Amino acid sequence: MRLEGKTAIVTGAGRGIGKETALTFAREGAAVAVADINEEDINEVSQEIENNGGRAIAQTVDVTDRESVRTLVDKAKETFGRVDIVVNNAGITADAQLLKMEEDQWDRVIDVNLKGVFNVSQAAAKVMKEQESGVILNASSVVGTYGNFGQTNYAATKWGVNGMTKTWAKELGRFNIRVNAVAPGFVYTPMTEKMPEKVLTMMKEKAVLKDLASVEDIANAYLFLASKEARFITGEILAVDGGVVI
Ligand code: NAI
């Protein structure tokens, strides 16, 4: 197992990519703190991990709230003894074109996608520095490199995530902490499944591999970057987009 003996915190682990990442990490031997703002979902996910013979705790967290984040990191360390891996996956959208975007839409997305990643990473990095090892993985997006119509706020946060990833890789490398990001393109989620066939076909056509990513594709990228196989990779933004942008 590729994460045998490791411990991980995954934010936004109640559903979607975060849930799949938590399940994948647990299957590969990691003890996982399943963290999300939605309490019901995390209980289900951590129960599923335990039913499969893995180790997990469910912890409610609001990544925008520094006290709540501190509690999460303390609880993970207290329960598992260490914090080896953090996946900053929690993220939201509140789309509107520049000329129509409300201040509240801007603030909410910045708060979760940017400040949330800062909050969790700062708290976890303190523990990782003491351990003299750790891996921080951030959820970026191809939108963070190429922009997207209607996503001023979201693009700004993912661009910011890329900047923080590279900055922290430089700052934390001397403590044996690696920092990387995964940048998905289009992913099959409950949201995309409901889209009209025409839109889905158009999205698939944009990828040279003529498909959308599955949540497993993204979780596998996190797994690779968290594992020993990636021991010499840091400061990298790994696109998992089937070649939407080359
Ligand atoms: P999702 O909406 O299915 O799941 C996000 C999770 O984050 C939810 O469980 C939600 O409760 C949680 N969350 C929201 N606000 C929170 C907060 N303040 N504190 C703690 N948890 C909070 O999202 P999905 O699609 O799985 O995306 C996950 C990440 O991947 C996001 O950062 C997203 O920006 C990124 N991404 C997703 C793509 C996609 O096509 N689904 C494409 C590119 C990037």
Side-chain angles (χ1 to χ4, degrees):
M1 289 198 285
R2 291 157 77 186
L3 300 180
E4 184 85 69
K6 299 290 182 191
T7 72
I9 294 173
V10 182
T11 68
R15 66 177 197 206
I17 294 167
K19 175 181 175 181
E20 189 58 33
T21 302
L23 295 174
T24 302
F25 279 20
R27 214 166 35 239
E28 292 291 338
V32 183
V34 178
D36 201 292
I37 202 164
N38 187 330
E39 189 169 2
E40 231 171 84
D41 287 347
I42 49 175
N43 287 330
E44 267 176 40
V45 176
S46 88
Q47 194 59 54
E48 189 172 337
I49 290 174
E50 284 178 355
N51 291 347
N52 294 335
R55 238 183 124 201
I57 54 166
Q59 182 65 38
T60 319
V61 71
D62 178 353
V63 295
T64 67
D65 177 347
R66 288 171 70 78
E67 193 51 48
S68 167
V69 166
R70 209 166 302 130
T71 306
L72 165 67
V73 174
D74 287 351
K75 183 84 184 295
K77 181 160 189 284
E78 222 175 86
T79 314
F80 301 138
R82 304 172 55 82
V83 178
D84 294 309
I85 306 157
V86 165
V87 183
N88 282 305
N89 165 77
I92 60 167
T93 54
D95 296 353
Q97 291 176 49
L98 172 65
L99 297 176
K100 292 182 190 153
M101 185 168 288
E102 305 282 346
E103 186 179 2
D104 171 63
Q105 288 175 294
W106 169 263
D107 288 343
R108 275 189 291 131
V109 173
I110 297 289
D111 227 25
V112 177
N113 297 11
L114 201 57
K115 189 178 175 192
V117 175
F118 163 72
N119 287 342
V120 176
S121 299
Q122 190 181 49
K126 285 180 184 162
V127 179
M128 290 174 175
K129 182 186 168 195
E130 273 170 34
Q131 296 168 178
E132 294 183 357
S133 76
V135 177
I136 297 173
L137 301 174
N138 298 325
S140 184
S141 162
V142 288
V143 171
T145 311
Y146 302 98
N148 199 20
F149 193 97
Q151 292 197 310
T152 294
N153 48 4
Y154 187 79
T157 62
K158 297 305 182 183
W159 228 290
V161 161
N162 290 354
M164 293 194 294
T165 301
K166 288 175 185 290
T167 299
W168 298 339
K170 288 180 178 177
E171 290 182 0
L172 302 175
R174 64 185 189 274
F175 307 123
N176 193 27
I177 301 170
R178 295 188 295 108
V179 189
N180 290 295
V182 172
F186 302 113
V187 184
Y188 281 116
T189 61
M191 189 186 78
T192 46
E193 274 159 27
K194 280 186 219 138
M195 284 179 176
E197 200 50 46
K198 218 173 91 186
V199 180
L200 269 181
T201 308
M202 193 195 72
M203 286 159 80
K204 286 181 193 171
E205 279 304 314
K206 285 196 173 178
V208 296
L209 296 180
K210 303 294 173 215
D211 201 357
L212 269 53
S214 64
V215 287
E216 288 88 353
D217 292 324
I218 311 303
N220 284 334
Y222 283 125
L223 172 62
F224 165 66
L225 290 172
S227 75
K228 270 198 307 233
E229 292 157 40
R231 65 155 216 104
F232 214 50
I233 300 176
T234 197
E236 196 57 45
I237 318 297
L238 178 60
V240 185
D241 66 352
V244 168
V245 190
I246 294 179

